[in-house]
Amino acid sequence: IGDVGRCFVTRDCLSGRNASGRDYRTVGHTLFYRDCNEEIIMMNQTKLFALVGLLLIASSLTLFVGAANMSAQQVFALLFSFPDSDFVIHQYRLPRMLLAIGVGAGLGLSGVLVQGVIRNPLASPDLMGISAGAGLAATACLVLYPNAPVAMLPMVAMAGGLLAAGFIAVLAYWSKPTP
């Protein structure tokens, strides 16, 4: 249908060699000749570097902004010298930034794994009922034991999620579903 550099976009799903004897392959609706592979790899690397750059910029901005705004000189001086009086950077902002990156990566990974297992690009991690099991356990804990310590609630929710996952695994083993 169109020419994009040396790659040709088509709606046909062909593979092999064209009339001139050139090898090609199709991915989705895009026809790639062998000399396009380097361009595709370069495009993916460029996107990856851009996303990592945006992550570094956004995460470094979280070190400057807060209840007490700090200048770049103050942040860098406190970040690389470890004074005893510095509490804001080392105890609040830096751990919060690292935790946000880790939690975001974990949530993204869980979403990708669920989408890969279910083979549905629109699937979400709550589709299998694990988060519902965690919520049910937490609610049951609050209703049945209203004087329970607050620190116990995350542990009960985790146990409920694991119990729901085990229940789903047993059901899947017994029913032997096919994709």
Side-chain angles (χ1 to χ4, degrees):
I1 292 181
D3 182 7
V4 181
R6 289 180 292 191
C7 299
F8 295 91
V9 180
T10 182
R11 291 191 198 279
D12 298 319
C13 295
L14 304 172
S15 61
R17 293 178 183 256
N18 64 5
S20 65
R22 242 176 120 190
D23 291 333
Y24 62 89
R25 63 185 173 88
T26 58
V27 175
H29 294 294
T30 307
L31 178 65
F32 298 104
Y33 287 106
R34 289 204 186 266
D35 54 354
C36 288
N37 289 337
E38 293 176 16
E39 292 179 20
I40 294 166
I41 291 170
M42 290 300 293
M43 285 184 354
N44 288 340
Q45 286 177 345
T46 304
K47 290 177 188 176
L48 178 67
F49 287 136
L51 288 174
V52 168
L54 284 173
L55 175 70
L56 291 175
I57 290 170
S59 61
S60 64
L61 286 177
T62 63
L63 295 176
F64 302 122
V65 180
N69 290 337
M70 303 174 97
S71 68
Q73 288 179 334
Q74 290 173 327
V75 169
F76 288 121
L78 294 173
L79 189 63
F80 295 115
S81 66
F82 297 97
D84 294 333
S85 63
D86 177 44
F87 189 74
V88 174
I89 296 292
H90 291 287
Q91 298 297 320
Y92 283 121
R93 294 183 185 180
L94 190 62
R96 181 182 59 192
M97 177 191 73
L98 295 175
L99 188 64
I101 291 171
V103 168
L107 288 173
L109 181 64
S110 71
V112 166
L113 289 175
V114 168
Q115 288 174 354
V117 167
I118 296 175
R119 297 181 186 163
N120 182 355
L122 299 176
S124 64
D126 61 346
L127 180 69
M128 297 173 67
I130 296 171
S131 59
L136 176 68
T139 304
C141 177
L142 289 173
V143 170
L144 298 176
Y145 303 107
N147 295 331
V150 177
M152 191 172 92
L153 194 61
M155 293 182 283
V156 169
M158 178 70 94
L162 290 173
L163 188 66
F167 184 69
I168 291 167
V170 168
L171 283 177
Y173 178 75
W174 284 343
S175 66
K176 298 195 185 337
T178 58

